[in-house]
Amino acid sequence: DAGVTQSPTHLIKTRGQQVTLRCSPKSGHDTVSWYQQALGQGPQFIFQYYEEEERQRGNFPDRFSGHQFPNYSSELNVNALLLGDSALYLCASSLIGGLAGGRYEQYFGPGTRLTVT
Amino acid sequence: AQTVTQSQPEMSVQEAETVTLSCTYDTSENNYYLFWYKQPPSRQMILVIRQEAYKQQNATENRFSVNFQKAAKSFSLKISDSQLGDTAMYFCARRFEGAQKLVFGQGTRLTINP
């Protein structure tokens, strides 16, 4: 049973560029959440996707956008990259299955390390 | 602010000792879940233990147990018989009923020495 997978593992971009990060949820899961973890900090919630729609969003600018596909996989896009966007980006999946908020745990992927120069 | 606070940036104990990590949180909600996650150098965030706020009984998972004090908004993690593999960053997190968003603390770096 494959867990949450993310690609790429590492990425180096230049200020002003755009980046796309990818996540495949754990088998059987229908919800994907994205988190940004700056060095030495706890993860910060970016947004959550369920049924191909953004359901909840954290305090991140519109430069951060996402998408969820019919197979439940997800992409995180960041436009106009800033040096401050350098971080570990974590994807977490869970199963809501129609239950409000769900009672199932979030499983995290290994993350994508983004470096903006 | 609905925050989660971990007041111990770093801790270090000898193998086989017991260690307790502290966490406090601020919320006006009544229904929520609390978690401890472990993040080893491999970066993968691993769920250690969870606690439902409506349950008075403290959660236990093998060597890991929590002391949940709802009125004090305190949620500490006790690791018994610590092992070298317990070395990691430990994060306390809170999630409201009906939402997926996890709010994390700043983390505690735990080192188990041989």
Side-chain angles (χ1 to χ4, degrees), chain B residues 27-34 51-55 70 94-99:
Chain B
T27 181
S28 55
E29 300 288 328
N30 196 46
N31 297 322
Y32 51 91
Y33 301 89
L34 297 167
Q51 174 79 42
E52 292 89 342
Y54 61 86
K55 288 187 176 179
K70 189 172 184 179
R94 184 260 296 136
R95 174 170 71 85
F96 291 140
E97 178 75 59

Side-chain angles (χ1 to χ4, degrees), chain A residues 37 94 101 105-106 108 111, chain B residues 35 39 43-44 50 100 102:
Chain A
Q37 186 178 18
S94 59
E105 304 320 323
Q106 293 188 38
F108 282 82
Chain B
F35 306 88
Q39 189 176 39
R43 308 181 325 199
Q44 187 113 24
R50 63 173 273 172
Q100 288 288 297
L102 284 166

Side-chain angles (χ1 to χ4, degrees), chain B residues 44-60:
Chain B
Q44 187 113 24
M45 197 75 74
I46 302 165
L47 178 64
V48 174
I49 198 166
R50 63 173 273 172
Q51 174 79 42
E52 292 89 342
Y54 61 86
K55 288 187 176 179
Q56 292 187 345
Q57 185 174 5
N58 289 324
T60 300

